[in-house]
Amino acid sequence: MGESYQITEQCSGQRFPCKAGQSVLKAMEQQGLECVPVGCRGGGCGLCKVTVREGDYECGKMSRVHAPPEALAQGEVLACPQNRELLPQWL
């Protein structure tokens, strides 16, 4: 079995596992949770924007309109193309 990480949604305190290589959004949906709004699931619409409060993460391909470099520097990313251990708080 592969490595997994714990995701904590700060507003509700809900925690759920996320497998290595899996998007946070997909892991959330598999647990039946609705921590963030869901849109295109491909990094293009920006609905699932979260702020990473702590932890390491990797970002997949996503719209630079919704996650420009200055937002990334502040920990603002989209939940659909990213993974790893983090503490998101949706915007």
Side-chain angles (χ1 to χ4, degrees):
M1 189 159 201
E3 194 172 11
S4 68
Y5 305 90
Q6 285 296 309
I7 308 299
T8 302
E9 197 283 317
Q10 292 287 282
C11 293
S12 67
Q14 295 181 64
R15 293 178 60 86
F16 56 93
C18 182
K19 296 175 187 171
Q22 180 180 43
S23 76
V24 171
L25 188 63
K26 184 170 184 164
M28 177 196 75
E29 290 180 315
Q30 286 180 339
Q31 297 296 314
L33 301 173
E34 297 179 357
C35 301
V36 297
V38 178
C40 70
R41 292 181 175 82
C45 72
L47 284 177
C48 65
K49 185 181 275 190
V50 296
T51 300
V52 178
R53 299 293 182 203
E54 62 182 76
D56 295 327
Y57 63 94
E58 294 175 357
C59 289
K61 186 176 179 181
M62 63 184 146
S63 168
R64 294 296 173 220
V65 170
H66 301 294
E70 54 274 11
L72 293 173
Q74 301 273 325
E76 294 179 12
V77 296
L78 304 181
C80 58
Q82 57 149 325
N83 58 61
R84 292 292 173 143
E85 185 168 356
L86 48 78
L87 293 168
Q89 181 172 359
W90 65 281
L91 301 174

